[in-house]
PDB file of all heavy atoms in Angstrom:
ATOM      1  N   VAL W 362      94.103 114.386 127.798  1.00  0.00           N
ATOM      2  CA  VAL W 362      95.040 113.711 128.776  1.00  0.00           C
ATOM      3  C   VAL W 362      94.650 113.986 130.123  1.00  0.00           C
ATOM      4  O   VAL W 362      94.691 113.086 130.960  1.00  0.00           O
ATOM      5  CB  VAL W 362      96.457 114.053 128.443  1.00  0.00           C
ATOM      6  CG1 VAL W 362      97.427 113.485 129.520  1.00  0.00           C
ATOM      7  CG2 VAL W 362      96.961 113.680 127.030  1.00  0.00           C
ATOM      8  N   GLU W 363      94.418 115.147 130.490  1.00  0.00           N
ATOM      9  CA  GLU W 363      94.083 115.589 131.951  1.00  0.00           C
ATOM     10  C   GLU W 363      92.812 114.768 132.275  1.00  0.00           C
ATOM     11  O   GLU W 363      92.613 114.297 133.455  1.00  0.00           O
ATOM     12  CB  GLU W 363      94.062 117.011 132.052  1.00  0.00           C
ATOM     13  CG  GLU W 363      93.875 117.502 133.501  1.00  0.00           C
ATOM     14  CD  GLU W 363      95.167 117.263 134.422  1.00  0.00           C
ATOM     15  OE1 GLU W 363      96.243 116.578 133.938  1.00  0.00           O
ATOM     16  OE2 GLU W 363      95.174 117.515 135.587  1.00  0.00           O
ATOM     17  N   LEU W 364      91.800 114.829 131.306  1.00  0.00           N
ATOM     18  CA  LEU W 364      90.586 114.141 131.585  1.00  0.00           C
ATOM     19  C   LEU W 364      90.666 112.658 131.825  1.00  0.00           C
ATOM     20  O   LEU W 364      90.014 112.228 132.751  1.00  0.00           O
ATOM     21  CB  LEU W 364      89.583 114.439 130.514  1.00  0.00           C
ATOM     22  CG  LEU W 364      88.085 113.960 130.712  1.00  0.00           C
ATOM     23  CD1 LEU W 364      87.477 114.690 131.906  1.00  0.00           C
ATOM     24  CD2 LEU W 364      87.280 114.275 129.364  1.00  0.00           C
ATOM     25  N   ASN W 365      91.486 112.046 131.085  1.00  0.00           N
ATOM     26  CA  ASN W 365      91.740 110.653 131.244  1.00  0.00           C
ATOM     27  C   ASN W 365      92.535 110.287 132.542  1.00  0.00           C
ATOM     28  O   ASN W 365      92.249 109.277 133.107  1.00  0.00           O
ATOM     29  CB  ASN W 365      92.505 110.089 130.038  1.00  0.00           C
ATOM     30  CG  ASN W 365      91.655 109.908 128.744  1.00  0.00           C
ATOM     31  OD1 ASN W 365      90.512 109.556 128.872  1.00  0.00           O
ATOM     32  ND2 ASN W 365      92.212 110.244 127.526  1.00  0.00           N
ATOM     33  N   ARG W 366      93.424 111.246 132.853  1.00  0.00           N
ATOM     34  CA  ARG W 366      94.053 111.119 134.178  1.00  0.00           C
ATOM     35  C   ARG W 366      93.151 111.017 135.227  1.00  0.00           C
ATOM     36  O   ARG W 366      93.220 110.307 136.267  1.00  0.00           O
ATOM     37  CB  ARG W 366      95.207 112.165 134.401  1.00  0.00           C
ATOM     38  CG  ARG W 366      95.882 111.955 135.599  1.00  0.00           C
ATOM     39  CD  ARG W 366      96.987 113.020 135.790  1.00  0.00           C
ATOM     40  NE  ARG W 366      96.576 114.329 136.146  1.00  0.00           N
ATOM     41  CZ  ARG W 366      96.292 114.797 137.499  1.00  0.00           C
ATOM     42  NH1 ARG W 366      96.513 113.889 138.431  1.00  0.00           N
ATOM     43  NH2 ARG W 366      95.802 115.917 137.669  1.00  0.00           N
ATOM     44  N   ALA W 367      92.024 111.915 135.093  1.00  0.00           N
ATOM     45  CA  ALA W 367      91.052 112.008 136.221  1.00  0.00           C
ATOM     46  C   ALA W 367      90.244 110.740 136.304  1.00  0.00           C
ATOM     47  O   ALA W 367      89.904 110.258 137.402  1.00  0.00           O
ATOM     48  CB  ALA W 367      90.037 113.174 135.843  1.00  0.00           C
ATOM     49  N   VAL W 368      89.954 110.061 135.142  1.00  0.00           N
ATOM     50  CA  VAL W 368      89.237 108.844 135.127  1.00  0.00           C
ATOM     51  C   VAL W 368      90.171 107.710 135.859  1.00  0.00           C
ATOM     52  O   VAL W 368      89.720 106.979 136.716  1.00  0.00           O
ATOM     53  CB  VAL W 368      88.993 108.330 133.695  1.00  0.00           C
ATOM     54  CG1 VAL W 368      88.457 106.872 133.599  1.00  0.00           C
ATOM     55  CG2 VAL W 368      87.966 109.317 132.989  1.00  0.00           C
ATOM     56  N   ALA W 369      91.470 107.823 135.570  1.00  0.00           N
ATOM     57  CA  ALA W 369      92.339 106.804 136.247  1.00  0.00           C
ATOM     58  C   ALA W 369      92.354 106.993 137.757  1.00  0.00           C
ATOM     59  O   ALA W 369      92.451 106.091 138.574  1.00  0.00           O
ATOM     60  CB  ALA W 369      93.792 106.822 135.565  1.00  0.00           C
ATOM     61  N   VAL W 370      92.533 108.319 138.177  1.00  0.00           N
ATOM     62  CA  VAL W 370      92.537 108.703 139.448  1.00  0.00           C
ATOM     63  C   VAL W 370      91.220 108.174 140.239  1.00  0.00           C
ATOM     64  O   VAL W 370      91.314 107.523 141.345  1.00  0.00           O
ATOM     65  CB  VAL W 370      92.735 110.171 139.732  1.00  0.00           C
ATOM     66  CG1 VAL W 370      92.408 110.553 141.281  1.00  0.00           C
ATOM     67  CG2 VAL W 370      93.968 110.601 139.321  1.00  0.00           C
ATOM     68  N   ALA W 371      90.137 108.337 139.617  1.00  0.00           N
ATOM     69  CA  ALA W 371      88.797 107.890 140.123  1.00  0.00           C
ATOM     70  C   ALA W 371      88.869 106.376 140.380  1.00  0.00           C
ATOM     71  O   ALA W 371      88.364 105.788 141.443  1.00  0.00           O
ATOM     72  CB  ALA W 371      87.683 108.275 139.231  1.00  0.00           C
ATOM     73  N   MET W 372      89.478 105.603 139.451  1.00  0.00           N
ATOM     74  CA  MET W 372      89.438 104.142 139.634  1.00  0.00           C
ATOM     75  C   MET W 372      90.551 103.720 140.534  1.00  0.00           C
ATOM     76  O   MET W 372      90.322 102.732 141.186  1.00  0.00           O
ATOM     77  CB  MET W 372      89.869 103.536 138.206  1.00  0.00           C
ATOM     78  CG  MET W 372      88.841 103.820 137.107  1.00  0.00           C
ATOM     79  SD  MET W 372      87.147 103.182 137.537  1.00  0.00           S
ATOM     80  CE  MET W 372      87.441 101.352 137.521  1.00  0.00           C
ATOM     81  N   ALA W 373      91.570 104.489 140.860  1.00  0.00           N
ATOM     82  CA  ALA W 373      92.619 104.229 141.646  1.00  0.00           C
ATOM     83  C   ALA W 373      92.342 104.515 143.144  1.00  0.00           C
ATOM     84  O   ALA W 373      92.618 103.684 144.028  1.00  0.00           O
ATOM     85  CB  ALA W 373      93.904 104.681 141.210  1.00  0.00           C
ATOM     86  N   THR W 374      91.778 105.682 143.373  1.00  0.00           N
ATOM     87  CA  THR W 374      91.670 106.210 144.741  1.00  0.00           C
ATOM     88  C   THR W 374      90.200 106.676 144.988  1.00  0.00           C
ATOM     89  O   THR W 374      89.945 107.052 146.207  1.00  0.00           O
ATOM     90  CB  THR W 374      92.635 107.414 144.971  1.00  0.00           C
ATOM     91  OG1 THR W 374      92.307 108.448 144.049  1.00  0.00           O
ATOM     92  CG2 THR W 374      94.009 106.869 144.877  1.00  0.00           C
ATOM     93  N   GLY W 375      89.305 106.810 144.005  1.00  0.00           N
ATOM     94  CA  GLY W 375      87.958 107.179 144.265  1.00  0.00           C
ATOM     95  C   GLY W 375      87.585 108.428 143.505  1.00  0.00           C
ATOM     96  O   GLY W 375      88.354 109.358 143.196  1.00  0.00           O
TER      97      GLY W 375
END
Side-chain angles (χ1 to χ4, degrees):
V362 169
E363 189 70 357
L364 186 64
N365 283 323
R366 183 176 75 86
V368 173
V370 167
M372 298 301 296
T374 59

